[in-house]
Amino acid sequence: MHIVKRVLVTGGAGFLGAHLCERLLNDGCDVLCVDNFFTGAKSNVAHLIGNPNFEIIRHDVTFPLYLEIDEIYNLACPASPIHYQHDPVQTTKTSVHGAINMLGLAKRTGAKIFQASTSEVYGDPEVHPQPESYVGSVNPIGPRSCYDEGKRCAETLFFDYYRQHKVSIKVARIFNTYGPKMHPNDGRVVSNFITQALMDNPITIYGDGSQTRSFCYVDDLIDGFIILMNSADEVTGPINLGNPVEFSIRELAERVIELTGSGSEIIFKPLPGDDPKQRKPDITKAKELGWEPVIQLDKGLVSTIDYFKTLDLEYIFKK
C-alpha cells in the first residue's frame, strides 16, 4: 500500500511557500499549509483549496502547533526589509520561537525538518563568493538585525536539536529569488523595478547601481528544496541555494525596461544602511547533491512580468 507523506509548510501562503505547496501536491503529498497571512496571501493558494490533499490553517508559528506529520518545511518569516522592519520584535520571535516550536513538533513526531535560512546570515560579506564555511560579518544591532540575527539563531537551534535530540534537519541558505507570486510591494529590487516599469514610474536605484546580486528563479529554488529534503540523512546543510551568475543592479534595471517596453527613466538615491555591496553563492555543495539553477534571467523575468501584468498595480500602490 502506498503511504502518502503528510507535509507541513509554514509560511505556506507566501511567495516561496505557495510554489512549494503546489510542487508537493504534484508530487503526491498530503500538504498542510500554515500561515498567519502577515505577508502571505490566500490568493497565492486559492487554486489549491479544492484539492482533497490540501489543507490551510491560519496560525502564527510563535505559538505551538500540535499535528501528526512526516516532514516540515519551516518557511514562516517575512523576508523583505520593508516587511520584517515593520515589526522587528515579531520578526525575531517568528524566527526564534517559530524554530523552537517547529523543532519541538519534529522531535515529538520524528519528522524531518527543513529550515529556510538566508544568505543574510553572511551579512555584508568580506569573502566572495560566500561558501557555507564563511561565518559572516553581521551587525547585531542594526535595522536589519531582527532578520539577520533571527535567522542565525534559528540555525543555531536547528543544529543544537540535531546534536542534542537527534532531530533530522536540513538547512538551506536562500539567495535572491524571484518569480510569479512575489509580493508587488515588498521593496525588493526585482518587484520594485517591474512595478515601476509597468506603471511608467522612474526606476529607483539606491547607490550607483554597481552593487551586484545573483537572481534565482523560483522553480529552480523549489527543485533545490526538494533535492535537499530528500538527500541522505547525514546531509544536514547548511547548503547555499541560489544562482551564482552575478548582475549589477543597473544591468537588472536596464533589462526590466527592455523586457517591459517601458518608458521609465532610471534615477539614483543614497544607499540604505547595512546594504551588502555584493552577494553571490558558492554552490559547490549543492552541485554535489545534483542541483544547480537552469533558468536564465531573461526567461524568468518574462514570466514574472507576465504575472505582475495580471495585478491591479494602481490599486495596490494607492492603498
Side-chain angles (χ1 to χ4, degrees):
M1 184 180 138
H2 174 63
I3 304 294
V4 176
K5 199 160 52 175
R6 285 177 60 82
V7 185
L8 170 64
V9 181
T10 72
F15 163 44
L16 298 180
H19 282 277
L20 177 61
C21 286
E22 203 167 272
R23 170 66 184 271
L24 290 166
L25 287 168
N26 289 340
D27 288 351
C29 299
D30 200 18
V31 177
L32 279 162
C33 166
V34 167
D35 209 296
N36 69 347
F37 302 108
F38 173 56
T39 57
K42 282 184 189 170
S43 57
N44 284 341
V45 290
H47 63 296
L48 305 177
I49 287 171
N51 189 315
N53 293 330
F54 181 74
E55 288 176 68
I56 188 162
I57 303 168
R58 182 190 286 269
H59 181 82
D60 187 322
V61 295
T62 61
F63 298 95
L65 192 59
Y66 301 99
L67 298 164
E68 301 305 317
I69 34 66
D70 303 306
E71 288 182 355
I72 303 167
Y73 286 85
N74 187 37
L75 275 56
C77 190
S80 73
I82 204 167
H83 290 142
Y84 66 61
Q85 290 170 354
H86 172 73
D87 186 346
V89 171
Q90 183 63 22
T91 296
T92 303
K93 285 169 76 173
T94 301
S95 284
V96 178
H97 292 190
I100 290 167
N101 288 329
M102 290 306 114
L103 285 160
L105 179 60
K107 180 186 165 193
R108 183 180 69 78
T109 58
K112 187 160 45 168
I113 182 166
F114 174 103
Q115 168 67 0
S117 191
T118 171
S119 60
E120 299 290 344
V121 300
Y122 298 122
D124 191 357
E126 292 159 358
V127 172
H128 193 73
Q130 294 84 55
E132 291 87 349
S133 57
Y134 176 54
V135 294
S137 172
V138 179
N139 176 2
I141 59 168
R144 299 169 74 113
S145 307
C146 57
Y147 184 70
D148 304 0
E149 294 289 29
K151 289 288 193 179
R152 283 166 71 95
C153 185
E155 285 197 15
T156 303
L157 285 161
F158 265 70
F159 279 88
D160 284 336
Y161 265 79
Y162 168 70
R163 287 184 287 255
Q164 189 176 335
H165 299 301
K166 307 295 182 278
V167 170
S168 179
I169 66 164
K170 306 285 179 182
V171 177
R173 289 179 178 161
I174 301 166
F175 285 70
N176 273 6
T177 303
Y178 70 100
K181 296 189 170 74
M182 285 185 89
H183 198 296
N185 199 7
D186 65 4
R188 294 190 197 195
V189 66
V190 173
S191 42
N192 272 1
F193 287 0
I194 292 175
T195 55
Q196 288 168 344
L198 290 176
M199 296 168 77
D200 280 323
N201 291 336
I203 287 191
T204 311
I205 290 181
Y206 295 93
D208 62 5
S210 64
Q211 68 270 40
T212 63
R213 293 290 184 274
S214 49
F215 303 101
C216 185
Y217 188 65
V218 63
D219 290 357
D220 280 335
L221 187 80
I222 299 302
D223 283 345
F225 283 12
I226 303 290
I227 286 168
L228 177 55
M229 185 61 116
N230 294 336
S231 62
D233 286 350
E234 63 270 16
V235 179
T236 57
I239 299 281
N240 288 337
L241 294 178
N243 195 321
V245 180
E246 275 184 290
F247 295 91
S248 74
I249 297 298
R250 178 160 196 149
E251 201 176 344
L252 177 70
E254 289 164 352
R255 293 227 177 165
V256 168
I257 289 170
E258 187 183 335
L259 292 169
T260 53
S262 172
S264 295
E265 58 168 340
I266 296 174
I267 59 171
F268 296 89
K269 291 193 173 177
L271 202 62
D274 289 347
D275 192 59
K277 314 292 177 292
Q278 52 184 183
R279 178 116 344 116
K280 173 183 172 178
D282 178 330
I283 61 165
T284 307
K285 287 190 173 182
K287 283 181 171 178
E288 287 167 1
L289 295 179
W291 179 83
E292 66 179 306
V294 294
I295 295 165
Q296 302 292 324
L297 182 64
D298 280 6
K299 184 181 177 186
L301 284 175
V302 167
S303 300
T304 312
I305 289 163
D306 287 346
Y307 167 74
F308 276 87
K309 283 178 178 173
T310 68
L311 305 177
D312 186 346
L313 296 176
E314 299 289 345
Y315 173 74
I316 288 166
F317 283 89
K318 196 167 61 185
K319 285 202 291 185

